[in-house]
Amino acid sequence: RSYKVGQITFEGTTMFPTNAVSPGFQSGKMPKQGPGRATWAENATVNRNFKMKAGDVFTMSGQGRDTEAVQSFYESKGHIDVVRGSANLQVMRVPNTETGTIDIRYKVEEGQKSYIEKIEIRGNTKTKDKVIRRELSVAPGEVFDMTRIRTSKRRLEGLDYFEPGGVETRPEPTDVPNRKNLLVGVREKSTGNISFGAGFSSVDSIVGFAEWTQGNFDLFHPPTFTGGGQKLRLRVQIGTERQDYVLAFTEPW
């Protein structure tokens, strides 16, 4: 038998916009503002991310996505202890065989807002700290916003300086109440490339080339010249009819 979602209730929430998960929510209407209340944009985001509304077909995958939506809301506000599967975020299902519905109850322990004490970077033996720090969208003293931290992680992965899955971000406890350190761990990979070859054409006759590129170049760090986040390309092509030389240097930042 296919079950549908019955009532969706919340216990312990003071800031989560419970009205945003109702089927009749209209994101175009500005909700009442006040201390601790969600903004219009946050209401709209929760409504978009919360997939299963009352009356929809119940699925376990849908419940998982909705629980993640609740977790993401609190993580964006610095309540990083509200984590799916922990005592701070519990989900209970109450089936009703007569009506063919399942009521869903979310129990939340919001806890205290966390702030970033300091950012520690580990594992970078070549890449300079500043090359990593400038990609982070959070700073010490700010709210421990896991949404922006995940964005920072994607930006670091996009640099292509680190191995697949080689960027880790996580909070670490400190002795200061409501403050945690942000650990950014990386596993570096080779960012240089050498290619060479030879060929023949009716125009250029015999031609050979060699090319060296470095995606994490540092002009002022001899003898390795790596770690500064710059890009260098050197190409030499020599043939019986022509010679080409290319030297390209880019400072992306």
Side-chain angles (χ1 to χ4, degrees):
R1 182 178 182 179
S2 178
Y3 277 77
K4 292 189 175 182
V5 178
Q7 287 186 323
I8 302 176
T9 56
F10 294 84
E11 179 183 340
T13 57
T14 62
M15 61 182 71
F16 186 79
T18 56
N19 62 307
V21 307
S22 63
F25 175 78
Q26 297 181 22
S27 59
K29 292 185 177 181
M30 183 69 72
K32 294 180 179 179
Q33 301 285 321
R37 290 180 179 269
T39 65
W40 173 86
E42 289 170 337
N43 273 264
T45 300
V46 169
N47 180 263
R48 182 175 60 252
N49 294 338
F50 206 92
K51 302 298 183 182
M52 286 196 316
K53 311 295 194 298
D56 292 341
V57 174
F58 175 85
T59 64
M60 289 299 296
S61 60
Q63 179 188 302
R65 291 194 302 268
D66 291 349
T67 307
E68 288 179 1
V70 177
Q71 175 179 325
S72 295
F73 173 84
Y74 280 100
E75 285 182 337
S76 67
K77 290 183 170 292
H79 293 256
I80 60 177
D81 293 326
V82 181
V83 180
R84 175 184 177 185
S86 70
N88 294 75
L89 178 54
Q90 301 179 38
V91 186
M92 291 164 282
R93 302 185 300 272
V94 183
N96 189 326
T97 56
E98 294 181 0
T99 60
T101 60
I102 293 183
D103 295 338
I104 305 176
R105 299 175 183 172
Y106 292 89
K107 185 178 181 181
V108 180
E109 292 287 343
E110 294 178 335
Q112 298 294 317
K113 181 182 293 187
S114 295
Y115 294 85
I116 299 175
E117 177 69 9
K118 62 181 178 180
I119 299 175
E120 295 185 0
I121 300 175
R122 302 175 188 170
N124 54 322
T125 58
K126 295 183 297 183
T127 307
K128 292 181 177 179
D129 271 22
K130 70 174 184 179
V131 175
I132 297 175
R133 289 183 186 275
R134 68 192 184 190
E135 298 295 332
L136 303 179
S137 58
V138 293
E142 295 181 345
V143 172
F144 212 112
D145 186 339
M146 291 299 297
T147 300
R148 287 197 289 159
I149 290 173
R150 280 192 288 268
T151 299
S152 303
K153 180 180 178 181
R154 289 193 295 268
R155 290 170 63 173
L156 288 173
E157 292 169 340
L159 293 175
D160 201 29
Y161 299 162
F162 312 110
E163 296 179 2
V167 179
E168 177 191 16
T169 55
R170 70 168 188 267
E172 287 194 331
T174 68
D175 296 331
V176 184
N178 301 332
R179 287 186 174 266
K180 292 181 172 61
N181 291 335
L182 171 60
L183 169 66
V184 180
V186 298
R187 296 198 310 272
E188 295 174 312
K189 69 175 184 180
S190 175
T191 54
N193 184 61
I194 298 176
S195 58
F196 54 87
F200 174 84
S201 73
S202 58
V203 177
D204 297 327
S205 188
I206 299 175
V207 62
F209 76 91
E211 181 174 336
W212 175 62
T213 59
Q214 175 56 256
N216 190 10
F217 184 71
D218 189 348
L219 183 63
F220 304 105
H221 189 213
T224 60
F225 293 100
T226 58
Q230 303 161 349
K231 300 183 185 301
L232 183 74
R233 177 182 178 226
L234 176 62
R235 180 183 175 90
V236 177
Q237 182 170 298
I238 300 177
T240 55
E241 299 294 331
R242 59 184 292 177
Q243 297 181 3
D244 295 324
Y245 302 91
V246 178
L247 174 62
F249 171 81
T250 305
E251 171 57 87
W253 191 252

